[in-house]
Every structure is written in C-alpha cells, then in structure tokens.
Amino acid sequence: MTDTAPRPEDVVQSEHAQLDFSQDMSYGDYLHLDQVLDAQHPRSPEHNEMLFIVQHQTSELWMKLMLHEMQAAITHVAADRLPAAFKMLARVSKIMEQLVHAWDVLATMTPPEYSAIRPYLGHSSGFQSWQYRCIEFSLGNKNAAMLKPHAHRADRLAQVQSAYAAPSLYDEALRLLARRGLALPASHVERDWTQAYVPSDEVEAAWLQVYRQPDTHWDLYQLGEELTDLEDAFRLWRFRHVTTVERIIGFKRGTGGTSGVGYLRKMLDVVLFPELWCLCIDL
C-alpha cells in the first residue's frame, strides 16, 4: 500500500480550519473591504454606470499610491539620497502604465451608454480630482486657476495649495545639480515655486554636461532618465485620456465645465521637464 500525498485544497482547508477569525484579523479586515466594496453607489438605473464609478475609484487609489511615492521621492532627491528616489520614481512610472491601461476598460463604454448616465453626474468631473491636481503640481505644472475647483473643501484646498507652493520634482532635481557643482542660473535654483517653470539654455547646458559625461555624473544621468521615463508614461496617459473621452463623448463640453476634448488636447502640449527633451538635438 502506498502513501497518498494530501491534495493542496485539503491542506488549505485544514490550515484555515485552525484559524478563528472572530479573534484574528482577516484579509477583508486588513483591507477594509466592506467599506471599499460598499463605496459604489450608481445614481442612474443604467448597468454601465458601475464601470464608470469603478474606473474612477480605482484610478484615485492608484493616484494615492503615486502621490505617496512621488512625495517621498522628492524628499529623497532634496536630501541627495538618489538610490531610494530611483526606486520610487520607477514605481511611479509603472503606476502610470496601470492608469494608461485603465482607459482600455473605460473605452468599452459606447457614446449612447455614456449619454444615458451623463445627466446623473451633475457637475462632477475628473477635473475636480484633488489628487490629480497635486500630482500635476508636484510634477511642475503650476497654475493658480487650478486651485479654484477645490475651494469648497478647505481641507482639500490646503493639500492642493501645499503642493502648489512647494518645489516640484524637477525643481529639486535642478537644485541637486547645482549642489553637485553644475552651473545653473540662480533664477532656477531659488524662485517663487508657484510660478510656471520657464525653460533655460543654462539648465539645458547643465544636463548636456551630465549626458556627455555619464561616467562622471552617473547618478545624475540616471536621474535624468528616470524623469524622462516618468514624463513619457505621463504623456501616454494624457493621450489615452484624450482619445477615450473623444471616443465616448466626442466634442461635448465636460461635465465640470471645461471644453472637454479641446481642453485635454491642449494638455498634450505641456512639457514637464523641457530641457531633457532637447538633449538629442545637441548630443
């Protein structure tokens, strides 16, 4: 008679039988799944509204993680701790990839399906996402007008204002280059951080020095590549946003009062780290 190995499902069942979840924390407890899964409340009778809600809620969760990583990365760059910052920035780029693919799911909604739920959305719009605005500000796209959509919530406005007034990721990268002895103009090392970034030939020259001598400036060279990867992913997200919105709502005005596709198309022209995208011309 031969021994029979226990089936994997029997082992799992046996192990779980020994657990008493009345005393121990369960998977659902740890993740607060009751609250998370009870946060979807469609306002219309339409089947497809659940897709619309889940799409935006999951995107906000990814943005929460993105802000967590990006704010820590900015702190590490400011403290010259680049290895830790690289790990976080690489993760932010991967999160952006997740957000890009999320548009593929929303794009399964047809124009008639969206039109059926649109009257129930009121004036709510992704334009009002305070987390997204903090991401934009942390990446350096500063615009005082973007504070207004958050004025009705003092707590959220304070968070957005904090990101608006703080040095961006790129600002801290340039300050690091200056601390390493590269020639950067004073106007780009200490300035009013609420103002939109203005490209500089001197900043481009500093990055050129890094890229022409990567062995001498290896970690700064890697920092430049992490920033470029991040903006590359962010551009893809913006493009998929435009095409998905155009596919579903066409050129109607956005629910939040923007021009919709027209506004989003203008955002495609925003360059976050301009000097890094000019290097190929001179290398």
Side-chain angles (χ1 to χ4, degrees):
M1 185 175 180
T2 59
D3 293 334
T4 302
R7 297 179 302 169
E9 58 267 31
D10 292 336
V11 173
V12 172
Q13 185 175 0
S14 175
E15 290 179 350
H16 276 260
Q18 301 174 30
L19 296 176
D20 179 4
F21 289 114
S22 66
Q23 302 296 324
D24 294 320
M25 179 175 63
S26 70
Y27 172 81
D29 295 334
Y30 175 68
L31 296 176
H32 295 276
L33 287 183
D34 286 345
Q35 294 93 323
V36 172
L37 297 178
D38 192 40
Q40 296 75 43
H41 304 285
R43 292 174 173 266
S44 76
E46 300 299 322
H47 169 83
N48 298 289
E49 189 180 354
M50 183 63 75
L51 162 61
F52 194 80
I53 292 172
V54 171
Q55 154 79 18
H56 289 84
Q57 287 183 341
T58 53
S59 293
E60 289 290 336
L61 283 173
W62 280 122
M63 284 191 279
K64 181 173 184 176
L65 179 57
M66 188 186 301
L67 278 172
H68 175 72
E69 298 291 343
M70 193 152 54
Q71 289 167 352
I74 291 172
T75 299
H76 283 303
V77 172
D80 206 350
R81 296 190 294 264
L82 291 187
F86 293 157
K87 176 67 174 180
M88 294 164 181
L89 292 176
R91 184 172 292 165
V92 171
S93 294
K94 290 296 182 182
I95 295 169
M96 285 305 314
E97 289 181 20
Q98 290 290 325
L99 289 170
V100 168
H101 290 303
W103 293 119
D104 296 339
V105 184
L106 189 61
T108 65
M109 179 177 283
T110 65
E113 290 169 348
Y114 176 75
S115 295
I117 68 171
R118 183 184 173 101
Y120 297 88
L121 301 180
H123 294 293
S124 63
S125 167
F127 183 73
Q128 301 154 358
S129 168
W130 69 270
Q131 290 196 124
Y132 177 74
R133 197 55 55 198
C134 285
I135 290 169
E136 283 265 8
F137 287 166
S138 295
L139 289 174
N141 188 20
K142 303 290 183 75
N143 182 345
M146 296 298 101
L147 296 170
K148 189 174 181 180
H150 313 286
H152 65 291
R153 283 281 303 273
D155 54 341
R156 296 307 185 201
L157 178 61
Q159 289 174 285
V160 178
Q161 284 177 324
S162 179
Y164 176 67
S168 71
L169 173 61
Y170 196 53
D171 289 326
E172 289 295 1
L174 297 186
R175 296 173 89 181
L176 175 60
L177 264 62
R179 291 197 300 273
R180 293 290 188 86
L182 293 161
L184 269 82
S187 59
H188 285 62
V189 176
E190 293 296 337
R191 63 186 187 87
D192 180 354
W193 307 120
T194 66
Q195 297 302 301
Y197 181 80
V198 178
S200 161
D201 290 341
E202 293 170 87
V203 170
E204 184 180 337
W207 279 118
L208 273 172
Q209 186 175 341
V210 169
Y211 272 72
R212 285 171 173 162
Q213 301 172 337
D215 291 340
T216 303
H217 306 287
W218 181 253
D219 57 350
L220 298 180
Y221 176 79
Q222 190 173 353
L223 175 60
E225 287 299 284
E226 293 288 353
L227 293 174
T228 305
D229 286 345
L230 176 54
E231 180 160 3
D232 198 0
F234 198 56
R235 288 181 178 190
L236 286 174
W237 181 88
R238 279 178 168 160
F239 178 75
R240 286 296 287 126
H241 189 184
V242 172
T243 56
T244 303
V245 170
E246 187 171 354
R247 173 175 178 162
I248 296 174
I249 74 171
F251 286 86
K252 296 177 182 176
R253 291 190 65 81
T255 50
T258 70
S259 59
V261 169
Y263 170 79
L264 295 175
R265 284 195 178 281
K266 290 179 182 178
M267 293 299 100
L268 294 177
D269 294 329
V270 174
V271 181
L272 299 171
F273 316 133
E275 291 86 359
L276 287 169
W277 293 91
C278 295
L279 297 183
C280 61
I281 299 172
D282 298 309
L283 287 172

